[in-house]
């Protein structure tokens, strides 16, 4: 039995499609940034696309997500159209945050996705509370809370995981260990052998996974989710991966050893998946190339459409500070 | 059937009880609020009556409490959480300022949650169990801040706070818990947030205040009246954000002399906001400078002798009023 | 040898460098401030010059950073720590308010530490990378708060902050980092904390302001002068706590009209404190209401169109001044 | 070899003396509280006296301490005279905080003891930074940071332990697991089997100890301190113990199962030490009774003296908010 390739062609192509969408959107965003056509920052998930893709693929409608900096595939996996992502980065009035927030700080709650706030760790208790509430209301939600290696050093990470453990809340705390927090490597962030060693201290299950293997993740997380949906409790899932660009596009990331990047480049999750699918006979190279071309066309169109979307009207500045009702 | 007088604390408990009874979407959690009934016993009996899945204890994790409340609020519940002392909310202000306070603006999602925060001094609590933090909360966009002074108001405003679609910080002055009582009607409804109340009419000066200081101001107004016949109005703001600017401006128009009193620190205290508002909007109505009588800029001291010097009270307010009336 | 003009950012770096050179008790730490030189490159080159035991990176743990700095300060070091953005200090305000700010009062032990906090907006940073939190810091007893507007001041005030025996929050407006330059003398010494500076004389009105808004106010004063000949004084407060009340009162006496400008939120912003001070101490000198021009009470919006509407600027200040001069 | 009783008579009696002092002082404070002669709260360390006693006994002059709620024996062990403790609780002008703070919120830095602030966990990074500074200044300090089972749920606990681990700071994080945090039992505070399971997640050594056995602790902690003074790194030391009174004297603690208290009463650290010393032939019952009587007399005298100490002058209210110099 090979769990990795024990997947239908349709499902496998859907995974690849989400990863390709993210990659092609981010490539466009990078160009826009360097052309000075995006204000504020651009932060990319290059190399980490598998994680959001696999975790959303195994999720159900009621599930809740708190994506972090590099999780465009969470949004795409939950159905956010590329056009809305461009609207967000371009600060359009009809984007997910209506120009009130920018770049990676978005989320659509009708898709079960909370909008990220910058304070690392701060969303972890939010998704925990959200899952508690949904379950109380009779919806068997599972939560997915994403955090970087650096984010695990925040007090909020600790409080949230412990809180979820005490209340048996089924949240998968997905640590994306991409080896760096801005310029800071793991060695200056923590001393444990692996961040999965934190699990025992919360009395929860800890799982380590290859964060660049979308099919493997799909199988691992699928099984985990099924388990905790039935027998609610949190899990710490540590995905080993690599940030393949600078922290943001303003940062050339030159502090990252070149060899490290070269090694990981061979483990690019898009490449890995492509090779797996071809090797397992699930898809041909030509089919995958066609998929990529279709994705690229979709992304181009979404971008063009978003360009025509309206900018916020300054007169609306104060609208929505308070909810009314 | 006229009931006995009800304490401020019991009034809050009544509001919580009613919320739990009438609204299945209300849940309450915090440190030791379950079987134990909370550090001040405000939630006494509620877990027993409504079950541990509606009223429950948490670990000592303020950020998790506030963050989880926010998550729940977005999912159709109305959490009412307790900070054991408001002082400890300072470990997690980012959850209020950045997360809860901005959510609706950023995403259009409402977050109906209430943070109950016992506050204030006067009982030798020292620097970490006596803080008055309303100035912080009021500076945060997207939050509402309520600060009652009387049992009836506390009960009716807490109901309103919990029914509001926004995050509301509900400040409970600990000194009032057992010191203040009044007769409460059996039938009651929420009080609109953002409405001040004239507790005492007057035409010579107005004290703009809230919380425990309302009672000190009322006593001071009596003293002034007894001493020189002056008629001092006392306006209880009740809600600091939204602030009832109309009532404030009307009070200034009626008296032309303003003393602002609060128990929090002077520099950047909420009294500064009130003074600035009056100086901007009612400048032409003033016969005298706008004075503030507040705690000084020092940590809340423990020893009684020091705390007495630290905290405003009726005598200090009287002295200030007598001087202001001469101005 | 006249040097080229120096940016605000480079001026701060010079102060840090001088501190590390001249004072073996100075250490610096924060997220990514070592080899990387910090998110804004303020500390670029310092780790290389002074070694990783004096300038070093930390985990993403604001409370640990501030707490450790406090511990070091009590032991004879002078830590100068960086919050990557001041916004993130909100995860650990208890370390400043309750721990650092009260230490000397409680125990007589001094805590000479500096918290450098890049702040402010104007560059599409959105709600969590643009906050102006001086109102919070100024409300905390025992802290000092410095907020420079010019390179020379930044350099000299940072030196003074680091030599002060108290915890000092040093606010660095990010907009100034690379937008503002001036010629700096080779020989320089610390500027006393708590001294404001008249940046532009004037007799018709005064703008009381600080940080990036000083530059907007100066431009506004030019515009007013060009348009109707009015002479507007601009007072750069430079230090918010201690506050130079003498200079403020003198400016009010000289102009009789006051406009307070800042980039932080309106309600409970530091402008309220300034207005309250003037309304109390200089009421008789005023020919007009005290006006505040501030950011409105909403999260800092991302989109340029919105942020432009949000943030005070020279044009908005000019309009307010023209109206005030008519009053 | 019995490390427990491998101790000189003098050292053993010194340990007992500190524990007795604390017990007798607290007994007096309790009476004063119930007589309404102490304002504010009284929080006692009944049952937990061994921990501060043993840890201070193995410390050196340069070491730094951040005691928590129930650690009067840390103060006594570091030399704070009983009179100063009474001054503190009675709010006297010449007590450790000069009436500016009360009860357990004191500490004398010239004895290496930081004054506790109420915010649980907040002192942990402070002592960590203090030790870093002392070591930089050439003093081979070790730190002792105390925290309750409840306090381990704070973000500060996590940030501080991780911070110390990353910088190899020799701090012993002493978890006093007294089974309750106010009314909240361990089961509602954390889900791990034992809090010592947290150590591996920080990549540090974890040690569990009987918190009620002062001689055992003395041996265990003595060895630990010697190790980390040489080879600097933090340690998580979990002391199992029991809070033998209410949270504070305002609380009757009636939520604590009676049997639990009865079981632990037999393990009272004063009793345990007394029996060990007698059994090992280190001291006789009569000697120990005499010690207790001397301690009681000392405490009575200290209290009487403190009563004559001055109350703060209200005119000094604003003195010391800022340091001058
Ligand atoms: C509480 C907090 N402190 C500091 C920051 C500034 N900051 C933004 S991203 C970042 C590094 C994050 O590293 P990591 O968690 O590993 O995520 P990655 O960027 O690697 O995906 C830092 C320090 C922040 N966002 N929140
Ligand atoms: C951050 C914070 N939140 C809440 C409190 C209120 N509080 C004071 S003591 C206490 C219980 C502490 O339990 P534990 O840490 O186990 O110590 P113990 O009292 O058992 O010694 C609580 C909740 C506090 N002091 N600090
Ligand atoms: Mg990372
Ligand atoms: Mg405990």
């Amino acid at each position: 039995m090979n769990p990795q390739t024990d997947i239908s062609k349709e499902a496998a192509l859907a995974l690849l499609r989400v990863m390709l969408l993210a990659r092609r959107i981010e490539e466009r965003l990078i160009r826009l940034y360097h052309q000075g056509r995006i204000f504020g920052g651009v932060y990319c998930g290059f190399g980490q696309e598998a994680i959001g893709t696999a975790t959303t693929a195994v999720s159900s409608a009621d599930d809740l997500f708190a994506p972090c900096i590099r999780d465009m595939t969470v949004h795409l996996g939950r159905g956010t159209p590329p056009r809305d992502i461009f609207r967000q980065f371009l600060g359009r009035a009809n984007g997910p945050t209506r120009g009130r927030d920018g770049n990676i700080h978005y989320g659509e709650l009708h898709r079960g996705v909370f909008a990220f706030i910058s304070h690392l760790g701060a969303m972890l208790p939010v998704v925990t509370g959200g899952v508690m509430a949904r379950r109380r209301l009779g919806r068997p939600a599972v939560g997915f809370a994403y955090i970087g290696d650096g984010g695990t050093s925040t007090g909020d990470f600790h409080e949230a995981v412990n809180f979820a453990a005490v209340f048996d809340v089924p949240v998968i705390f997905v640590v994306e260990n991409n080896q760096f927090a801005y310029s800071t490597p793991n060695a200056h962030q923590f001393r444990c052998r692996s961040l999965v060693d934190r699990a025992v201290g919360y009395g929860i299950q800890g799982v380590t996974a290859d964060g660049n293997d979308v099919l493997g993740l799909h199988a691992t997380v699928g099984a985990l989710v099924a388990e905790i949906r039935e027998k609610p409790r949190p899990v710490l899932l540590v995905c080993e991966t690599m940030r393949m660009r600078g922290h943001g596009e303003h940062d050339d990331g030159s502090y990252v050893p070149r060899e490290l990047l070269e090694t990981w480049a061979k483990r690019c999750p898009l490449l890995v998946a492509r090779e797996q699918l071809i090797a397992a006979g699930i898809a041909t190279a030509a089919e995958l190339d066609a998929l990529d071309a279709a994705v690229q066309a979709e992304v181009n169109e979404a971008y063009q459409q978003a360009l025509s979307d309206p900018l916020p009207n300054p007169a609306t500045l104060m609208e929505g500070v308070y909810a009314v009702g | 059937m006229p009931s006995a007088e009800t304490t401020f604390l019991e009034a809050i408990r009544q509001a919580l009880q009613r919320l739990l009874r009438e609204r299945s979407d209300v849940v309450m959690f915090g440190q030791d609020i379950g079987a134990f009934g909370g550090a001040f016993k405000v939630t006494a009996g509620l877990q027993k009556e409504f079950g541990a899945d509606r009223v429950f204890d948490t670990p000592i994790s303020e950020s998790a409490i506030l963050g989880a409340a926010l998550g729940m609020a977005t999912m159709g519940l109305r959490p009412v959480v307790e900070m054991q002392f408001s002082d400890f909310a300072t470990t997690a202000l980012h959850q209020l300022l950045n997360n809860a306070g901005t959510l609706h603006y950023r995403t259009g999602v409402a977050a109906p949650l209430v943070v109950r925060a016992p506050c204030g001094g006067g009982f030798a609590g020292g620097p970490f169990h006596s803080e008055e933090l309303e100035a912080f909360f009021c500076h945060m966009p997207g939050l509402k801040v309520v600060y009652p002074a009387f049992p009836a108001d506390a009960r009716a405003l807490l109901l309103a706070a919990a029914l509001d679609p926004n995050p509301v910080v509900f400040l409970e002055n600990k000194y009032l818990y057992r010191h203040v009582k009044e007769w409460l009607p059996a039938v009651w409804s929420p009080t609109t947030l953002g409405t001040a109340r004239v507790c005492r009419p007057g035409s010579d000066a107005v004290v703009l205040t809230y919380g425990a200081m309302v009672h000190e101001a009322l006593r001071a107004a009596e003293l002034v009246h007894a001493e020189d016949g002056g008629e001092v109005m006392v306006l209880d703001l009740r809600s600091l954000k939204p602030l009832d600017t109309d009532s404030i401006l009307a009070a200034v128009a009626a008296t032309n002399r303003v003393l602002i009193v609060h128990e929090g620190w002077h520099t950047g205290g909420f009294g500064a906001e009130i003074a600035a508002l009056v100086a901007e909007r009612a400048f032409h109505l003033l016969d005298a400078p706008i004075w503030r009588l507040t705690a000084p800029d020092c940590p809340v001291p423990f020893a009684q002798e020091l705390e007495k010097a630290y905290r405003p009270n009726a005598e200090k307010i009287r002295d200030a009023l007598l001087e202001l009336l001469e101005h």
Side-chain angles (χ1 to χ4, degrees), chain B residues 211-235:
Chain B
M213 290 302 127
V214 173
H215 301 277
E216 302 294 331
L218 286 170
R219 283 210 291 129
E222 291 297 331
L223 294 172
V224 168
H225 184 69
E227 280 178 43
D228 83 343
E231 292 294 352
V232 174
M233 181 191 291
V234 176
L235 187 71

Side-chain angles (χ1 to χ4, degrees), chain B:
Chain B
M1 181 183 76
S3 54
E5 291 201 319
T6 304
T7 61
F8 191 80
L9 187 150
E10 172 61 16
I12 293 173
R13 213 188 62 80
Q14 286 183 11
L16 297 174
Q17 188 177 37
R18 175 162 164 186
L19 282 163
L20 286 162
R21 277 200 189 136
E22 296 181 2
R23 309 256 346 178
S24 63
D25 53 359
V26 169
V27 292
M28 298 182 188
F29 52 102
Q31 293 149 20
D32 307 294
I33 74 156
F36 187 63
F40 300 95
K41 300 291 176 190
V42 178
T43 56
L46 298 181
Q47 186 183 70
K48 193 159 187 197
E49 183 174 350
F50 299 100
D53 66 327
R54 295 195 64 202
V55 181
F56 55 93
D57 293 340
T58 67
I60 304 177
S61 304
E62 278 75 12
S63 185
I65 293 169
L66 295 172
L70 178 59
M72 291 182 189
T74 64
M75 291 295 137
L77 295 185
R78 291 182 180 271
V80 178
V81 300
E82 178 177 296
M83 298 279 99
Q84 195 158 88
F85 287 77
S86 65
D87 313 58
F88 302 129
T90 58
T91 62
L93 289 181
H94 63 300
Q95 288 291 2
L96 292 176
L97 172 65
N98 294 287
N99 223 347
T102 67
L103 181 71
H104 190 263
Y105 189 69
R106 291 181 288 124
T107 67
V109 174
L113 67 97
V114 176
V115 181
R116 295 182 38 241
C119 65
F123 56 97
F128 313 117
H129 289 79
S130 310
E131 286 176 346
E132 282 279 293
L133 304 178
E134 66 273 13
F136 291 144
F137 299 124
C138 288
H139 192 46
M140 300 181 181
L143 296 194
K144 296 190 176 180
V145 182
V146 178
Y147 200 152
F150 293 92
D153 282 343
R155 194 173 71 165
L157 287 165
L158 181 48
L159 201 58
L163 300 178
D164 196 276
N166 295 286
V168 182
V169 177
F170 188 84
L171 294 164
E172 303 176 1
N173 190 289
K174 301 185 289 288
Y175 195 82
L176 300 177
Y177 273 155
R178 296 170 199 279
H179 279 84
V180 175
K181 298 182 190 199
E182 65 184 337
W183 180 85
L184 294 191
V187 177
W188 50 290
S189 50
T191 296
T192 308
L193 302 184
T195 55
R197 191 165 72 89
V198 178
C199 295
R200 187 185 203 281
S203 52
D204 297 329
V206 62
V207 181
L208 302 174
T209 188
Y210 50 90
M213 290 302 127
V214 173
H215 301 277
E216 302 294 331
L218 286 170
R219 283 210 291 129
E222 291 297 331
L223 294 172
V224 168
H225 184 69
E227 280 178 43
D228 83 343
E231 292 294 352
V232 174
M233 181 191 291
V234 176
L235 187 71
D236 175 4
L237 298 174
R238 301 200 299 188
S239 155
L240 305 184
K241 201 176 190 181
L243 185 64
D244 186 350
T245 48
D246 289 347
S247 294
I248 292 174
L249 298 177
V252 177
T255 60
N256 314 112
R257 284 183 157 75
V258 176
L259 178 67
I260 297 161
V261 179
H262 60 62
E263 197 184 328
W265 297 303
H266 188 81
T267 299
F270 191 69
E273 177 60 33
I274 305 170
L277 174 82
V278 173
E280 179 156 0
R281 306 270 297 276
F283 175 72
H284 54 290
L285 299 171
L286 291 170
D287 286 346
I290 303 167
W291 282 1
R292 287 179 288 166
L293 180 63
T294 68
D297 288 333
C298 76
V300 190
F302 164 79
Q304 284 189 297
E305 300 70 25
L306 296 173
E307 193 175 10
K308 217 176 145 206
Y310 170 87
R311 199 162 176 262
N313 61 22
E315 291 67 35
K316 296 181 198 174
I317 299 171
R318 176 205 52 198
D319 293 349
L321 282 170
L322 290 174
E323 207 179 324
L324 184 65
L325 291 176
E326 302 271 290
H327 211 284

Side-chain angles (χ1 to χ4, degrees), chain A:
Chain A
M1 193 202 78
N2 186 344
Q4 261 86 323
T5 49
D6 184 15
I7 186 171
S8 73
K9 175 168 186 166
E10 197 191 343
L13 291 182
L15 293 177
L16 200 59
R17 196 182 116 77
V18 168
M19 298 203 294
L20 282 165
L21 268 174
R23 181 66 63 93
R24 303 303 166 227
I25 293 172
E26 289 189 344
E27 284 168 353
R28 169 68 73 162
L29 292 173
I30 291 167
R31 255 181 298 151
L32 292 172
Y33 178 84
H34 293 291
Q35 291 162 354
R37 293 165 74 189
I38 283 189
F39 296 94
V42 166
Y43 303 84
C44 290
F46 270 61
Q48 300 177 223
E49 293 92 342
I51 298 166
T53 302
T55 45
T56 49
V58 299
S59 69
S60 301
D62 280 339
D63 294 347
L64 291 174
F65 292 79
C68 199
I69 307 179
R70 309 193 190 281
D71 297 317
M72 188 179 286
T73 51
V74 167
H75 299 283
L76 292 166
R78 293 294 291 187
T80 300
R83 181 173 179 174
D84 274 324
I85 296 179
F86 282 114
R87 284 168 165 155
Q88 169 70 9
F89 277 80
L90 294 168
R92 301 293 150 151
N94 51 2
T97 60
R98 301 165 359 271
R100 276 144 168 72
D101 206 343
N103 51 65
I104 54 178
H105 304 89
Y106 64 112
E108 299 172 294
L109 214 44
H110 64 278
R111 305 184 195 278
V113 183
F114 285 101
F116 175 61
I117 77 162
S118 300
H119 298 64
L120 295 169
M123 297 308 299
L124 272 43
V126 177
V127 68
T128 302
V131 171
M132 291 170 85
R134 281 231 158 137
R135 295 203 145 234
R136 163 182 302 276
L137 297 170
R139 299 161 71 178
V142 161
F144 296 80
Y146 304 78
I147 187 82
D149 43 293
T152 64
S153 300
T154 61
D156 278 8
F157 168 81
H158 174 70
E159 293 196 2
V161 179
N162 184 57
F163 198 89
V166 163
F167 293 110
D168 289 324
V169 190
V171 174
I172 304 192
F173 292 95
V174 184
V175 176
E176 301 186 47
N177 182 9
N178 64 4
Q179 315 304 319
F180 282 82
Y182 213 148
S183 74
T184 305
N186 281 186
H188 292 168
Q189 195 71 242
F190 53 83
R191 265 281 181 284
C192 48
R193 201 182 33 83
S194 157
L195 285 168
V196 80
D197 294 344
R198 298 258 164 100
V200 61
Y202 300 109
I204 66 175
Q205 187 183 356
V207 177
T208 308
D210 176 351
N212 287 26
D213 171 6
V214 77
L215 295 176
L217 273 174
H218 185 265
T220 306
V221 185
L224 275 180
V225 168
E227 265 175 61
I228 68 174
R229 201 183 299 283
E230 285 311 303
K231 189 175 172 315
R233 54 185 164 71
V235 173
L236 187 69
L237 172 66
V238 177
C239 298
E240 293 295 330
T241 183
M242 180 68 198
R243 194 189 76 201
M244 296 302 291
R245 298 193 61 84
H247 174 64
E249 287 309 307
H250 60 279
D251 168 29
D252 65 9
S254 53
Y255 45 83
V256 176
R258 206 190 176 79
E259 316 77 64
L260 197 59
L261 287 170
E262 282 164 4
T263 312
W264 280 94
K266 297 185 198 119
R267 302 268 317 138
C268 167
L270 278 69
L271 212 62
V272 168
R274 181 184 170 95
E275 285 170 2
Q276 282 173 330
L277 293 190
I278 294 173
I282 294 177
T284 65
E287 279 175 309
L288 298 179
D289 290 343
L291 177 65
D292 196 357
V295 161
Q296 184 68 69
E298 182 183 343
V299 168
N300 289 346
E301 194 190 334
Y303 168 60
Q304 293 303 333
Q305 288 173 329
L307 277 183
S308 68
D309 283 318
L311 293 167
N313 177 351
T316 65
L317 172 65
M318 295 303 292
E319 281 174 17
V321 176
Y322 289 94
V324 186

